[in-house]
Amino acid sequence: MTPNRIGFSFLIIGAFLLAGKLIRTRTKWLQNLFLPSSIIGGFLALFLGPDVLGRLTSQFLNEASIFYNGLIPGFILDVWRPLSGLFINIIFAALLLAKPVPGIKKIWNNAGPQIVMAHTVAWGQYVVGLLLVLFVLTPVFGTDPLAGALIEIAFVGGHGTAAGLSDTFALLGYPEGADLALGLATVGIFGGVVSGIAIINIGFRKGYAKPLDEKPTFSDEEKEQIAESYGYDIEQDVKHAKAIEPLAFHLSLIAVAILFGYIFQQALILLEAYTWGAWTDVYLFTYMPLFPLAMIGGIIVQMIFAKLNLRNYIDPNIVSMMSGFALDVLLVSALATLSLDVIGDNIVPFLLISGAGIAWNLFAFLYLGPRMIPDHWFERGLGDFGQSTGMAATGLLLMKIADPDNRTPALEGFGYKQIMFEPFVGGGLVTSASLPLIYQFGPVTFLIITSVVTLFFLIFGLIKFKPKRLPNKP
């Protein structure tokens, strides 16, 4: 693979991002689904690749032709395949790099019920997935037990986490899991938006939320902002280092954060090799990806700058743009290399996993939400439902539709909740460790662990945050 071919492959990613943007600006229903341009561009690349258009071109062109497998040459796909495992580290290193973390008391007072509810849903997705694997998918279809983690990885983690774990799936002997996870993440986005809007309409009629005089409308700028926001804004005065370009400076910060994560990863692997790994022949950190530790590295970089009174040199807008760039590259490359053959060969398990995940999320929102969130359960719960079914932007969209004027604390609570949520599940430490844990200890052991944690959050939420008066039954 020559440097020119690698560089050309990145240029093609840019072309598909631009094409996705143009398609999005001219297609209202895609705008209304709040799909980012990178996902649209990624599916366009998938359509023009070997799994769709390539099936047609291979019937007419000579095998020696560069377009035998579609309009995207094989060398470009070879460059794109490993990109998700690289760029996910940039995304997670930047995740908390520029976000000053409020005190625990402030977070809990603003978002306690949403934190507990979100963890109940996320851990419960493991329980549902593992039960489905143990009693249906593995006995009937021979599905790998690692599929028990797919609901949480795809629905809460989203496309980025699904693609970022592709190397871990391959190391553990289940490479098709990454393709299934990407497909499930797509189902989650569509399912979350469609079912969420239907729930809002029903909720207005039943009085769970105050009906609006007219359906809220969003400008193109607002739609872009919702799709890219993490749920809360950061306002601070920013100083720029004069001896280095701001973009290069922030790239250096992200690089150092990833290096910290890499040092932690290698230290844990070395510690494991000479302690419990050598004693029990059970290894976990060998299979653990780098990106959750890069997130910890980002926190450490932020703490160092705060200690040196240099936090204002970290520009949240630049960090957000760099993270967004990495996510766009990841999404196009991951979706373009998605194997439709894998989904087709596993279509029944795929549909069963999708249905089980959506059913659990609906049950959690409609039944547990009013019993675990003492005030404004409908608006608050919509954010968690949207995120646990699609992505954070889906949750923001649903909250914005139900409460366009921010008359409830739902949006603020959602933002604070992310701080106590993302480091663990939805792509955090637990998500990245779930596959090695199932692989090493088996699905039954991990089912017991996740069941205990789910019950803890469930019981705690029902007792601690039980409303004085239950709303009408959903």
Side-chain angles (χ1 to χ4, degrees):
M1 187 66 64
T2 65
N4 285 342
R5 285 195 164 191
I6 294 173
F8 183 74
S9 301
F10 276 93
L11 297 180
I12 298 301
I13 288 179
F16 277 110
L17 282 171
L18 184 59
K21 178 69 173 178
L22 293 174
I23 292 171
R24 187 180 188 277
T25 57
R26 286 164 170 76
T27 312
K28 283 295 181 183
W29 68 272
L30 289 175
Q31 294 179 29
N32 293 334
L33 284 174
F34 287 76
L35 285 178
S37 302
S38 51
I39 290 181
I40 299 169
F43 277 113
L44 177 62
L46 175 65
F47 176 79
L48 297 177
D51 273 13
V52 184
L53 184 62
R55 296 185 184 277
L56 180 64
T57 57
S58 61
Q59 303 298 317
F60 300 100
L61 298 178
N62 187 281
E63 195 169 348
S65 171
I66 194 173
F67 297 122
Y68 176 77
N69 286 320
L71 297 184
I72 303 178
F75 74 86
I76 291 180
L77 297 175
D78 290 338
V79 172
W80 288 356
R81 284 189 182 95
L83 292 184
S84 58
L86 298 175
F87 280 81
I88 190 69
N89 298 313
I90 298 175
I91 296 165
F92 273 79
L95 191 61
L96 298 175
L97 176 64
K99 292 186 175 75
V101 179
I104 298 296
K105 184 177 180 180
K106 184 176 182 180
I107 295 173
W108 186 254
N109 289 339
N110 282 275
Q114 285 169 272
I115 293 171
V116 175
M117 178 69 184
H119 276 283
T120 302
V121 175
W123 287 88
Q125 288 180 344
Y126 283 120
V127 175
V128 171
L130 289 164
L131 287 173
L132 186 63
V133 160
L134 288 170
F135 291 102
V136 180
L137 299 185
T138 299
V140 178
F141 301 100
T143 304
D144 193 297
L146 293 175
L150 285 176
I151 297 176
E152 196 276 337
I153 289 172
F155 278 15
V156 184
H159 286 90
T161 302
L165 287 171
S166 57
D167 290 342
T168 303
F169 277 113
L171 278 173
L172 299 177
Y174 188 45
E176 58 268 34
D179 295 308
L180 294 173
L182 283 169
L184 287 167
T186 304
V187 170
I189 291 177
F190 283 95
V193 172
V194 173
S195 60
I197 292 176
I199 287 171
I200 290 171
N201 290 327
I202 295 172
F204 284 158
R205 288 200 299 268
K206 290 184 174 288
Y208 301 141
K210 186 177 179 180
L212 304 175
D213 295 331
E214 58 181 20
K215 184 179 178 181
T217 58
F218 303 100
S219 67
D220 291 341
E221 183 179 350
E222 288 174 321
K223 291 178 180 179
E224 293 290 341
Q225 186 178 15
I226 290 173
E228 295 173 4
S229 174
Y230 284 100
Y232 59 99
D233 299 323
I234 303 169
E235 295 181 2
Q236 66 178 55
D237 295 325
V238 178
K239 298 178 181 178
H240 290 297
K242 296 181 179 179
I244 185 173
E245 283 295 323
L247 195 62
F249 173 70
H250 287 82
L251 178 61
S252 302
L253 294 179
I254 292 174
V256 170
I258 296 174
L259 281 174
F260 274 137
Y262 179 75
I263 292 170
F264 297 151
Q265 183 193 47
Q266 296 306 307
L268 289 170
I269 291 174
L270 191 64
L271 176 66
E272 183 179 59
Y274 286 98
T275 54
W276 62 85
W279 305 330
T280 64
D281 200 32
V282 173
Y283 296 90
L284 295 176
F285 294 113
T286 302
Y287 305 107
M288 192 169 180
L290 173 59
F291 65 82
L293 299 174
M295 177 177 60
I296 296 175
I299 297 173
I300 291 175
V301 170
Q302 183 206 132
M303 291 172 62
I304 292 173
F305 270 66
K307 190 73 174 176
L308 297 174
N309 201 27
L310 298 173
R311 177 180 283 167
N312 285 351
Y313 280 91
I314 303 178
D315 189 334
N317 294 319
I318 294 180
V319 172
S320 178
M321 285 189 290
M322 297 183 74
S323 175
F325 164 75
L327 182 59
D328 284 343
V329 172
L330 181 151
L331 288 173
V332 171
S333 59
L335 291 172
T337 54
L338 173 67
S339 173
L340 295 179
D341 285 338
V342 168
I343 295 177
D345 293 340
N346 297 272
I347 189 62
V348 176
F350 179 83
L351 294 175
L352 289 174
I353 293 171
S354 302
I358 292 174
W360 162 251
N361 290 343
L362 285 170
F363 168 79
F365 171 63
L366 295 173
Y367 187 81
L368 299 180
R371 291 164 174 79
M372 295 178 66
I373 302 176
D375 63 282
H376 305 289
W377 75 269
F378 190 76
E379 294 87 351
R380 286 177 180 262
L382 277 171
D384 293 331
F385 172 76
Q387 183 176 22
S388 64
T389 307
M391 53 185 180
T394 306
L396 293 171
L397 163 66
L398 298 179
M399 285 189 294
K400 199 72 175 174
I401 294 174
D403 183 24
D405 299 323
N406 292 331
R407 292 173 294 187
T408 73
L411 184 61
E412 182 184 23
F414 183 86
Y416 281 115
K417 178 219 52 174
Q418 296 292 80
I419 301 171
M420 299 294 290
F421 183 76
E422 288 186 335
F424 305 102
V425 285
L429 293 169
V430 175
T431 303
S432 59
S434 62
L435 295 173
L437 286 170
I438 295 173
Y439 179 80
Q440 291 288 9
F441 298 106
V444 174
T445 301
F446 195 60
L447 173 62
I448 294 172
I449 294 171
T450 53
S451 297
V452 170
V453 176
T454 302
L455 286 173
F456 168 78
F457 281 113
L458 176 62
I459 295 171
F460 180 83
L462 291 173
I463 295 175
K464 174 70 175 177
F465 300 116
K466 181 180 179 180
K468 296 178 180 178
R469 183 179 66 85
L470 272 178
N472 296 330
K473 242 183 179 181

